[in-house]
Amino acid sequence: MSYQVQVLRYILAAVLFGAFACGSSANEFACDSQASSESAFLPTIGCEGDFALMASQPLNASIPGARSVKTVIDRVDGTVLYFQNSNLYQTHHAFAQTNLSGQGLPVVPMLADFSLSEYSSASRRFVLGAVTHYEGPDVYAYEIAPYDTADAEMVASAYQEIVEHSFFGKELYFHPTSDSVERVVDELPDSVSVITTEQLFDGIDYQVLNPGESYGQLRFVTAAEVETDALTFRDIAVLDSVPNDIAVVMGIITEGFQTPLSHVNVLSQNRGTPNMALRGAYQDLELRALEGKWVRLTVGTFDYSVEEVTQQEADAWWEANKPDEVLVPGMDLSATDLRDIESVIDLSPESLLLAVKTGTRAFGGKAAHYSALARIEGVPSPKAFAIPLFYYMQFMEENGFDDRIESMIAEAAFQNDPQERRAQLELLRDDMNVAPVNADFETLLLAKLATDYPDTRMRFRSSTNAEDLDGFTGAGLYTSKSGDANDVTAPVLDAVRDVWASIWNYRAFEERSFRSIDHTAVGMAMLVHRSFPDEKVNGVALTNNPYDRSGLDPAFYINVQFGEASVVQPDPGVTTDQIIYYYDRPGQPSVFVAHSSLIPEGEQVLSAAQLRELGDALDAIRTYFTQAYGTTTWWAMDVEFKFDGAPGEEPSLFIKQARPFGQ
């Protein structure tokens, strides 16, 4: 190393935080008494206090209970290690550009050039990484970015530098963060201890899905009982496993771990209610001691608490924190045609967002967004049409259900007794499912199917005017049903009535009550396209990285499963491929958070070609909907997709839905 660079670095360190008080050898460490939260970096992590000063929650928190210190090894003239203050500098580039650029050192380029060279070039100046402490298994792990192409020599050298300059060095592991990084593992020397993502998860008991605080009555319910138990939105539910569905509650604690796009977590995100997983929760003695009592649930990044409170405290908290009233846009009942999906929204005089909102009033949020989706070049979506709200309202009026609902809602027993409410809503749905449908509508629908979709089994999908609104998505509240005009075992009108009746599901009713939505202002339209009874692959995806809400580490999140097995409501014990796909990075690396339990170990649900095809579609969707929803640092479209094909054919991609996530 040149004398000039040595002097410069010594001056830099002295100016930033003074002389160091670390041990004199690599095996003797002490806390740096001069270090503070304003220190830009440390050359040595001498104790837990040093680590805590430099550490922040990692940008990509796919494994819970983790804090990271970013590391920079400057190879400009020798090897110098920096443990950067990851609170002052969220990215490697910000640290390097501020502290290691100019004044005798090479100038650090702008972010785009820096990322290209320092994560991809064999002749890079820096080796960039992080040391993450995983609290559950109490493991310190050295990690590089999932898209980093560092070779085994770079990884081993960086690992050794950290071992020699940290109190945890003898216990340090290298954790490969993606399939591409895993490729260097076989070339690493025996001196580098390796730990896998699966091994890290094995040591974790607590998983935070949606942090927050709420007050409610603690209830223990099995996942099997959720369908029949009348949970209310003043309850906090402890469950033995992840349920397929759940009525709105003040908080959720599941014994089984969840995925970010599991149905219950999407619901929790939309509701703004805490959601966590805790191994052994259902039999936990401390939780059981609070059963039936009013409690305060706090779900934090690293820990949680459940504390008893009085009902008066819980009532006061509810009044101060209940959600703002969601105003449902009025119904446009002027549309009476069965409209091809491309014409559901009119973009000519309006912005995309306004066009979708206008279309929602007549055809519901799902059909309106699908109309926008169908316009995106290069995104394959099934041919479709929409049934307007008009025919739902006609059905309700002609059968007297509208008057019945007003009387029912006004009854004191219905309002005050959740079991009575559930029973009356079930009876209403039963009656709706056998009520006559207007003959002219039946003729119109059957003619549309015979002309445009002959000999095709169709999927009738719910699309209300009370979903995909500002602050309320309504995701998963209502029913979709298949019907075939040529199959007496699956009558089309039965499917239509079933979808209409789902407006009065107990869970949907409770969700609307939680949001102070006027139930009588909600109407049901439908999105109709061919069904997918034998798909080869099904999944959901987000056009952003849910593990990084800072926007600094963008990626696509993909939750995908083989065949027809559900990805958002999996059977107990069934896992899916969960992928963080760095589509915008060189080499497009994939990080597998979990693997499907329905395929042989070592295989993946999506082939490399399918993953790239899906990524191209997600990129086009993200780009198109930016004009409507891309006004915040972190936003995403929630996308549903299939790969489907006849036996012997290569399955084709179909995008079935794109709606704003958490809007």
Side-chain angles (χ1 to χ4, degrees), residues 570-575 597:
D571 292 333
V574 174
T575 58
S597 59

Side-chain angles (χ1 to χ4, degrees), residues 392 396 401-410 428 504 520:
Y392 167 80
M396 300 300 283
F401 292 129
D402 52 348
D403 293 335
R404 174 176 168 179
I405 287 167
E406 288 194 11
S407 298
M408 179 179 69
I409 291 175
L428 171 64
W504 303 103
T520 61

Side-chain angles (χ1 to χ4, degrees), residues 26-27 29 42-46 51 69-73 79-83 92 127-132 140-144 154-174:
N27 296 318
F29 297 99
L42 290 177
T44 301
I45 298 293
F51 189 89
V69 174
K70 285 184 168 52
T71 60
V72 176
I73 292 181
T79 299
V80 179
L81 168 65
Y82 299 89
F83 293 98
H92 290 108
V127 178
L128 308 174
V131 174
T132 301
Y140 287 89
Y142 176 58
E143 300 167 329
I144 62 175
M154 292 181 192
V155 171
S157 175
Y159 176 92
Q160 189 59 39
E161 284 293 317
I162 295 167
V163 166
E164 294 175 0
H165 292 84
S166 62
F167 74 93
F168 50 78
K170 291 182 179 180
E171 299 175 349
L172 183 68
Y173 289 91
F174 174 63

Side-chain angles (χ1 to χ4, degrees), residues 408-577:
M408 179 179 69
I409 291 175
E411 293 175 4
F414 182 89
Q415 294 175 3
N416 300 325
D417 185 344
Q419 292 290 1
E420 176 68 17
R421 194 157 57 245
R422 179 185 282 276
Q424 288 205 40
L425 288 170
E426 184 177 357
L427 182 59
L428 171 64
R429 295 195 306 275
D430 288 344
D431 291 343
M432 290 178 66
N433 278 320
V434 295
V437 174
N438 182 275
D440 290 339
F441 167 66
E442 179 180 1
T443 299
L444 185 67
L445 176 59
L446 293 177
K448 176 71 172 176
L449 296 176
T451 302
D452 294 345
Y453 302 87
D455 303 318
T456 304
R457 186 180 180 89
M458 303 298 288
R459 189 71 170 171
F460 295 83
R461 304 179 65 191
S462 59
S463 182
T464 74
N465 62 330
E467 59 189 72
D468 300 334
L469 306 175
D470 294 336
F472 180 65
T473 67
L477 289 182
Y478 307 109
T479 297
S480 296
K481 203 76 173 179
S482 295
D484 189 337
N486 301 309
D487 185 352
V488 295
T489 66
V492 166
L493 291 185
D494 282 2
V496 169
R497 280 185 290 241
D498 209 350
V499 176
W500 281 339
S502 70
I503 260 195
W504 303 103
N505 288 333
Y506 175 77
R507 191 171 71 75
F509 189 92
E510 293 297 291
E511 192 89 39
R512 294 195 299 265
S513 298
F514 176 68
R515 303 282 185 166
S516 302
I517 292 173
D518 178 2
H519 299 284
T520 61
V522 181
M524 179 70 77
M526 290 184 217
L527 168 66
V528 188
H529 55 63
R530 79 171 182 88
S531 69
F532 291 82
D534 299 306
E535 63 261 28
K536 303 300 184 291
V537 166
N538 82 101
V540 291
L542 295 179
T543 60
N544 212 332
N545 185 352
Y547 294 115
D548 168 36
R549 295 303 182 103
S550 71
L552 296 173
D553 196 31
F556 296 146
Y557 174 81
I558 299 166
N559 189 3
V560 63
Q561 185 59 285
F562 177 76
E564 301 174 59
S566 175
V567 292
V568 296
Q569 301 175 350
D571 292 333
V574 174
T575 58
T576 61
D577 270 8

Side-chain angles (χ1 to χ4, degrees), residues 124-138:
R124 66 186 71 182
R125 172 185 170 186
F126 300 110
V127 178
L128 308 174
V131 174
T132 301
H133 179 231
Y134 292 101
E135 188 176 70
D138 192 20

Side-chain angles (χ1 to χ4, degrees), residues 255-267:
E255 190 163 284
F257 276 25
Q258 305 169 35
T259 72
L261 288 184
S262 68
H263 202 188
V264 294
N265 190 50
V266 171
L267 293 173

